[in-house]
Amino acid sequence: FAYMLAFSGLIAYFQTSPLLLVNQYNWTPVQYGWSSLAIACSYLLGSTIVQRWVHITGIRTLLQMGLWIGLLGGILLLLVAKLNPNTGWPIVACASIYVLGARLVIPNASALAMSYSIVSKGCTAALVGAIQMLGSMVLGALIAQFKTDTATPLAIFLFRVSGLAL
């Protein structure tokens, strides 16, 4: 479920950010592309941390770190949304923090679920994937119902899924 919740936050960001940044902050496609690069760099940084630290800290520790980092990103985005900046870059920065946390959660939650497999690893992987996709679909449909004229709905969503995952 931590995997599904973290992934749902990613889906929510990718659903709402084009509308928010292009429509509300008048970003050009090039500017939005640069913001996507920032998100991708955060994702890559998370991958690098997992690869290098998992043998040192362990799966559970990295999972907990990711959950706390994701929550921090959600809290910071709530603060930014309340301040209503005149640029979208603080939103992207907070989302990047969330993405970093999610990147620590996703592989470690999956590995931890697989370590508890008492039947076949294939069945366990299928169940994890089904929970991830179905849960993300439901939560993605939920976030699609909210307005995208401010970052507040996205911030509340990221905060709540991080809190639930934690």
Side-chain angles (χ1 to χ4, degrees), residues 35-138:
S35 77
S36 296
L37 181 62
I39 296 295
C41 286
S42 184
Y43 196 81
L44 180 62
L45 176 61
S47 297
T48 303
I49 290 170
V50 168
Q51 182 183 24
R52 294 194 178 166
W53 289 9
V54 73
H55 302 294
I56 298 166
T57 62
I59 291 172
R60 289 180 189 277
T61 301
L62 275 181
L63 178 64
Q64 287 291 320
M65 284 175 51
L67 293 170
W68 283 108
I69 292 169
L71 186 62
L72 175 64
I75 290 169
L76 291 174
L77 188 55
L78 273 171
L79 293 173
V80 164
K82 294 298 177 198
L83 293 174
N84 196 18
N86 59 0
T87 177
W89 286 109
I91 293 166
V92 173
C94 295
S96 293
I97 293 169
Y98 177 86
V99 168
L100 174 65
R103 187 61 185 124
L104 297 180
V105 169
I106 290 169
N108 289 298
S110 181
L112 196 57
M114 295 300 289
S115 73
Y116 288 111
S117 178
I118 57 173
V119 258
S120 80
K121 300 287 186 197
C123 288
T124 303
L127 180 60
V128 168
I131 291 170
Q132 176 224 346
M133 290 298 173
L134 290 172
S136 297
M137 177 193 70
V138 169

